[in-house]
Amino acid sequence: MPRLYSDILLDHFRKPRNQGSLSAPAISYEEFNPLCGDRIRIEVELSGDVISAARFQGDGCAISIAAASMLTEMIVGLRIGDDVSNDDLVSALRSDIPPARKKCALLPLEALRAGFERYRPRHSGRK
Amino acid sequence: MPFDVSRIREDFPILRQRVHDRPLVYLDNAATTQRPASVIAAISNYYSADNSNVHRGVHDLSERATRSYEEARVKVQRFLHARDPREIVFVRGTTEAINLVAQSYCRRLIQSGDEILVSAMEHHSNIVPWQMISEERGAALRVIPINDQGEINLDDFDKLLSDRTRFVSVPHVSHVLGTVNPIKEIVEMAHRRNVAVLVDGAQSAPHLLEIDVSDLDCDFYAFSGHKLYGPTGIGVLYGKSHLFESMIPYQGGGDMISSVSFEKTIYNAPPYKFEAGTPNIAGVIGLGAAIDYLKLIGSEAATAYEQELLSYAMSSLSEVRGVRVVGTAAKKAAVISFVVENVHPHDVGTILDLEGIAVRTGHCCAEPLMRRFGLTAVTRASIAFYNTKNEIDSLISGLARVRETFN
Ligand SMILES: Cc1ncc(COP(=O)(O)O)c(C=O)c1O
């Protein structure tokens, strides 16, 4: 049985990967959980329609921070609009996340999806 | 006679269970308390033996239901030391009581440019109804500040009181900080300017257990049954008779009228004019049973015991490294909010849950208060008279587990 807070989750919480911001992100979106006050911003840089870099900033619990950190690693190389499924992200945490805390794990994914939805490619007419 | 907590615990069937294979340690009493068997039995007996609508039938069942319903009103009246049972209106809870006053009392009273005062420690339910009215009437909501211990300074309150002040609504006891506010003084100061005061008693009813609205001289007092060891979906609004007389109801329907024609309706007298529709009869009867129970165990002894647990918990917590208590008022009820260094309250809550310990985590419906202390969330342990020192010890060792996990 997986532990509640697996070593990999704790590792991503203690040493978050890709924390910070990008200088010119194509997508930048912050999702807020009004029930607990957690907020996670996801930023994505594109090269064509492929994600070339991702960053997150956030204020949240160990689960949401670790999930955001992992998500930024999982999406590099994906095409815009490619979906990371809820299950993929939750299982990457390798933890026994209680039902009441699933929304913490999914907060970064919701930020990413909302960012995708709002994304309008800039017309690169000049070049 | 010392307070016999092990006997008290036998009255609460829900406490005899294990959660995640540990004995349940219920420390979320500020969210809702548990109910003694006598309350559960009163509700069950009502449905098994007397269920009927009130104030309507000539038949025996209806008379019995009506009698129990009105007896409960008298129990509440005595519990609050109100002068008259007609000053007791049954509502769904504190939230509905506050909305009733906002709509039925303040809406006609408030003019553009007026001010309504609340405090920095409010539950959202004592903010939003006033914002709605303020917005509609062009009035402003002003906030009585608190100090770092979580106390209202009466001089600050005095400075905010002005000719524009039209209404004051403050909590008796803070649901996050535990602060017991100087209600009598606040009421006196507001009354000198002819301003009426509502007291949000949601948290005082469970902890103080001795409430005297006549002595406080407040104009309105609101509380919820489910935080007083009674059922959910039932609450009380106390209001002074002359205010209830002058107020117009904000819900129309059956029971609140004395005659209806398509041209004109004549409202019933208080309290009925505020109790439109079939009320929560079982809830009222259950609330009456909860008040009986509190009388039986002796509210003074229960409060003294709770205060003993509070000091024990506060001194135990002060020895846990990395734990900081938010709310250290000199007059404090048994509600303890705290933060654990570098650990989010949700993670604290989840780890404690695995140890069988139920606490509240999050902003506790008090976002402005969180902001006042530079926080987004806290962990809150709230104590009732059925808790024990052993359970406080469990909380402390649970917190050691929290630190182990994250260090
Ligand atoms: C101080 C305070 N006021 C109001 C409320 C709202 O009570 P209810 O949800 O029972 O209406 C609560 C409940 O948490 C509270 O603690």
Side-chain angles (χ1 to χ4, degrees), chain B residues 30-31 92-96 98 123 125-126 171 173-175 200 202-203 224 226-227 380:
Chain B
R92 268 195 307 135
T94 307
T95 304
E96 190 175 59
I98 295 171
H123 188 279
S125 63
N126 200 26
V173 170
S174 161
H175 69 295
D200 171 353
Q203 294 297 336
S224 300
H226 71 97
K227 295 185 200 277
R380 179 183 71 190

Side-chain angles (χ1 to χ4, degrees), chain B residues 151-166:
Chain B
E151 297 163 312
I152 290 176
N153 180 333
L154 287 173
D155 289 338
D156 292 332
F157 175 58
D158 196 39
K159 275 183 218 140
L160 278 174
L161 277 173
S162 77
D163 294 341
R164 290 187 297 275
T165 312
R166 207 57 67 219

